[in-house]
Amino acid sequence: MKYMIMLYGSQQDYDVQAGKQNDKPSWSAEDIRKMVEHMTSINKDLAESGELVDAQGLAAPALTRRVQFKDGAPVVTDGPYAETTEVIAGFWIVDVSGIDRATEIAARVTLCPGPGGTIGEPSPVDIRPIGEAPSPDDV
């Protein structure tokens, strides 16, 4: 069964990783390297086991564009989501034996090193089954 494992972050997280100062601890180039090594290791292991369908990191929320309809016309807004501070920062789509295996992978994702190489307070990771869409012939 396929699952999406979603990792969250905020614009502040992207900012400190890009060297901008805010209330969060700064990331060094070494910190970024360790984070990338952690994610690459997970991707490599999942590819070797045949469980990896796709994995992507997403660009900063400030680059987000939202399109919605109002009064019958599309309305486009830029920037972070209006009422959300955390957004999906990256995801894995895995094809695994079940939710327990997806949970094992998600737990490994949370062990990503942060500033100073410390694990610290892990960011939340969600697991969501990917449903099978019915074919038009089934409807």
Side-chain angles (χ1 to χ4, degrees), residues 48-60:
E48 287 176 0
S49 69
E51 297 172 310
L52 181 66
V53 176
D54 195 6
Q56 301 291 328
L58 302 178

Side-chain angles (χ1 to χ4, degrees), residues 1 3 6 19 22-23 28-29 31 36 42 51 55 57 75 77 85 87 89 91 98 109 125-126 138:
M1 178 160 194
Y3 294 89
M6 297 168 281
N22 61 41
D23 295 339
S28 68
D31 297 332
V36 170
I42 292 171
E51 297 172 310
V75 176
T77 55
T85 58
V87 296
F91 66 87
V109 169
V125 176
D126 289 335
D138 296 337

Side-chain angles (χ1 to χ4, degrees), residues 33-114:
R33 186 185 64 74
K34 287 181 179 177
M35 177 189 67
V36 170
E37 283 178 357
H38 177 76
M39 301 302 181
T40 300
S41 172
I42 292 171
N43 295 348
K44 180 179 177 275
D45 291 348
L46 292 173
E48 287 176 0
S49 69
E51 297 172 310
L52 181 66
V53 176
D54 195 6
Q56 301 291 328
L58 302 178
L63 302 173
T64 300
R65 180 174 283 182
R66 174 174 275 183
V67 180
Q68 56 191 352
F69 270 78
K70 185 172 184 178
D71 299 325
V75 176
V76 179
T77 55
D78 293 335
Y81 303 102
E83 298 174 8
T84 304
T85 58
E86 288 193 341
V87 296
I88 297 174
F91 66 87
W92 287 259
I93 296 176
V94 295
D95 191 354
V96 295
S97 58
I99 188 78
D100 290 340
R101 174 63 180 138
T103 302
E104 289 174 10
I105 297 165
R108 185 174 171 194
V109 169
T110 66
L111 298 176
C112 183

Side-chain angles (χ1 to χ4, degrees), residues 118-136:
T118 60
I119 302 298
E121 183 71 28
S123 298
V125 176
D126 289 335
I127 305 164
R128 192 163 175 183
I130 297 176
E132 298 285 331
S135 111

